[in-house]
Every structure is written in C-alpha cells, then in structure tokens.
Amino acid sequence: MSKQYLTLHTIDNAHPTDVFALTATKTALLSASGSSTIRIHATNAPDFPLTQKLEGAHKLGVHHLVASKDGRRATSAGFEGRVKVWGVEGVQEEAESGAGGTWKAVGEISDSIKPGEIWAVALSADGAYLASTTYDGRINVWDLTADGMPRIREYETKGSFGMCVDLSADGRFTASGHENGSVYVFNNDTGRMLHSLAGLVKPIRAVAFSPASKLLAAAGDARIIALYDVASGEQVTNLSGHAGWVFSLDWSDTGEFLLSGSHDAKAKIWSIDTRTCVATHSHGDKPLWAVKWLPKTARSEMFAVAGGTGAISFYREAAG
C-alpha cells in the first residue's frame, strides 16, 4: 500500500533561519525558528497567508513551540531559557467565521527557573498543564491555570539530558526521551514512573503518544522509530527507513499514520496497520526539524514540513 501526497504550497523564506518547530490549531499553523518572531499562517485559505507575527517572542530564537489540542493555548521555549504561554482570543468566533483568533502573551513560567531548567515542552489537550524536561533528566509538570503557573510535579530519572517530552491525549501519561537513549513513561495520576523503556541506546529526539494513548513512538539518532505498548511497556515494532537522525514525530488524527522528519531531509508517512512506510517526500538537502499533520478538514488530509531551508511546505493527500 502506498499513499500519494501532492505539494500544495511552499512558503519560501517563511523564516530567515532554520525552522525548528511547527504546531497546528484547527485553522492555523504556528512556526518558530532561530529568529525572535513566531509566525502564524492561516491553513483554511488556499495560499496559507501570514495572519500574525509575535515579534520579539524570544530574543535568541525558539527551539520548541506547542499548541494545545483545543487550539486555545500555545507555549514557546526560547534559547535564552524563558518559556512563554500564549492565548488566543476569538476561538469560538473563529470556528464560525473561519478566521483565526488573535494570539497574545498570557504568562510566563518563572517558578524557580534556572538556565537549563526547561528544554522540551508539551501541553495537555486542554492547555491546562505543561510538561517540560531539564538538562539533568528531570521532568516537571506546571499548572497553567493557577496563579503564577506553579510547578506541581517533578519526576526524577537517571540524570541524562531530557531531549523531548509528550503528554498523552487522555492526560494520564507523560513520556520523556533522553540523551542516553532512555525513554520513560510516567503515570500522572500516581506521580510514579510506569515504564523505563529499553531499545534505542542513542539519543532520543522525539516521543509521541498515539491519539488513543495506547502506543508511544520514540525516535532519534538510532534512525529507527520504536513503537511501544503504553500499558505493558513492550516494544511492538521498529520502523526503519530514515538515513539520518529522526527529529520529529506526529500522529494523524485517527492514529492510522505516523509522520516523521529527519536529518536526511525526508519526511516519511508510516502505516501503523502494516508497519511500513507508505510515502516519502524530500525537502531539499537540509535537515527537516519539524513535521506536523494539520487537523483534518474538508480539504482532505494535509501536513506541513520545515527545517534548514527556512521554508514551510504543505502537502495534501491526492484524491484517489
């Protein structure tokens, strides 16, 4: 089985430097780079117009940017060590009018933040909780709804740099990937480690829970994507095909497909059912730092990719 995707549109020079992060709401794609500005493009208009710029968001650039599933909140982590929380106004109207709401800063994580205290970030589906990793392997959870956005949980691991983190859609689990190849799953209800997952040895650069929270995908410098059963902690399969480090993973809305982006400048789509690669797209010869499905709309299945070229490309499934 293979799937055909067509290049729908490319925004050349979307950013002046490498694009490190993409995140999507129902009607917008937010992107961030080594420059200080976060850019927001509408995804419900044919040429994906730029609708807003959050200028001076992080003076040294942004390495992580995530939006909550409900599209009301986003969080950015900058190279200067600050973490900002953004909220959107007009989301209800947005659904009816098709126009995006206006984003503005609504807070900052500042509770005992020292350099290296926050690297990767993930948001809960409702935007209420933020999970983050540290340079020495701790995973923190912050309550974004409480005054001062305090830290409410701290998970300890073996002290290796936390390179990536994810929160399951049902809010029950936190997963982290580390420089020493470790992958951990924590139970947010009990506050305890559920699994220490073996298998990849080399640095883990992306972890992602499936939409139903049943599977966890992890990938990085080993160039393979490992799939684990969240309940048992067992490794279900390995997906091989990338020729470079894997930087980014994202599940389709239904959980049928996994999208991956790599240092080999390729984006791949994997069928979870057949455990095979069903589509590959090359994006120049520069690393693909970020890949993201767009929430499914009437416009068929779409995804965006970005990386070292500074461009953002949109693909859609060929009608078949």
Side-chain angles (χ1 to χ4, degrees):
M1 179 184 101
S2 72
K3 283 168 81 75
Q4 294 291 312
Y5 289 85
L6 309 171
T7 312
L8 195 56
H9 190 71
T10 295
I11 302 165
D12 289 315
N13 307 313
H15 289 262
T17 66
D18 289 53
V19 180
F20 292 126
L22 298 173
T23 191
T25 68
K26 287 184 177 65
T27 58
L29 183 80
L30 288 69
S31 60
S33 71
S35 74
S36 61
T37 300
I38 294 170
R39 286 169 165 79
I40 299 158
H41 286 87
T43 53
N44 53 0
D47 55 347
F48 301 92
L50 180 70
T51 56
Q52 195 182 349
K53 295 202 278 196
L54 302 174
E55 295 188 11
H58 294 274
K59 59 180 185 286
L60 301 179
V62 180
H63 52 79
H64 284 84
L65 176 68
V66 291
S68 59
K69 195 167 173 57
D70 68 8
R72 291 170 184 271
R73 192 163 262 170
T75 303
S76 55
F79 285 103
E80 83 292 354
R82 297 169 76 180
V83 175
K84 293 189 177 176
V85 182
W86 309 87
V88 69
E89 292 178 337
V91 176
Q92 267 334 101
E93 303 85 84
E94 169 190 13
E96 287 145 31
S97 71
T102 303
W103 290 87
K104 61 174 198 181
V106 295
E108 191 169 325
I109 299 285
S110 52
D111 179 10
S112 69
I113 288 296
K114 302 184 288 294
E117 196 64 15
I118 293 191
W119 177 250
V121 290
L123 275 174
S124 61
D126 61 1
Y129 299 99
L130 173 76
S132 62
T133 65
T134 71
Y135 70 97
D136 61 357
R138 286 169 292 120
I139 290 78
N140 291 309
V141 182
W142 314 82
D143 184 346
L144 303 187
T145 63
D147 281 352
M149 300 186 175
R151 178 164 58 188
I152 54 167
R153 274 210 192 289
E154 182 176 61
Y155 296 120
E156 291 281 348
T157 69
K158 296 220 163 50
S160 172
F161 176 52
M163 300 181 80
C164 50
V165 67
D166 196 27
L167 281 164
S168 63
D170 63 10
R172 291 177 57 208
F173 307 109
T174 301
S176 61
H178 299 260
E179 195 172 20
N180 65 1
S182 300
V183 177
Y184 301 106
V185 178
F186 303 92
N187 181 321
N188 293 333
D189 297 331
T190 64
R192 293 174 188 218
M193 188 184 291
L194 188 63
H195 303 299
S196 172
L197 304 173
L200 290 179
V201 184
K202 294 184 175 173
I204 308 289
R205 295 179 186 269
V207 287
F209 285 103
S210 65
S213 310
K214 299 268 192 295
L215 294 173
L216 178 72
D221 297 9
R223 304 178 180 188
I224 57 174
I225 301 163
L227 288 184
Y228 299 95
D229 180 285
V230 173
S232 69
E234 281 176 41
Q235 195 164 336
V236 180
T237 193
N238 279 337
L239 305 173
S240 309
H242 277 298
W245 299 351
V246 180
F247 289 132
S248 183
L249 296 170
D250 194 36
W251 293 83
S252 64
D253 270 356
T254 59
E256 291 172 273
F257 299 101
L258 184 66
L259 175 63
S260 59
S262 165
H263 196 273
D264 65 11
K266 290 184 171 64
K268 286 182 177 287
I269 293 169
W270 309 84
S271 161
I272 299 307
D273 189 30
T274 62
R275 301 178 184 181
T276 55
C277 177
V278 292
T280 300
H281 286 276
S282 295
H283 190 67
D285 56 358
K286 296 275 184 16
L288 268 187
W289 293 107
V291 294
K292 197 77 191 161
W293 291 103
L294 303 183
K296 200 148 186 184
T297 62
R299 286 183 71 186
S300 81
E301 215 167 59
M302 293 195 291
F303 65 91
V305 306
T309 65
I312 300 172
S313 287
F314 296 89
Y315 294 84
R316 75 168 172 83
E317 190 174 9

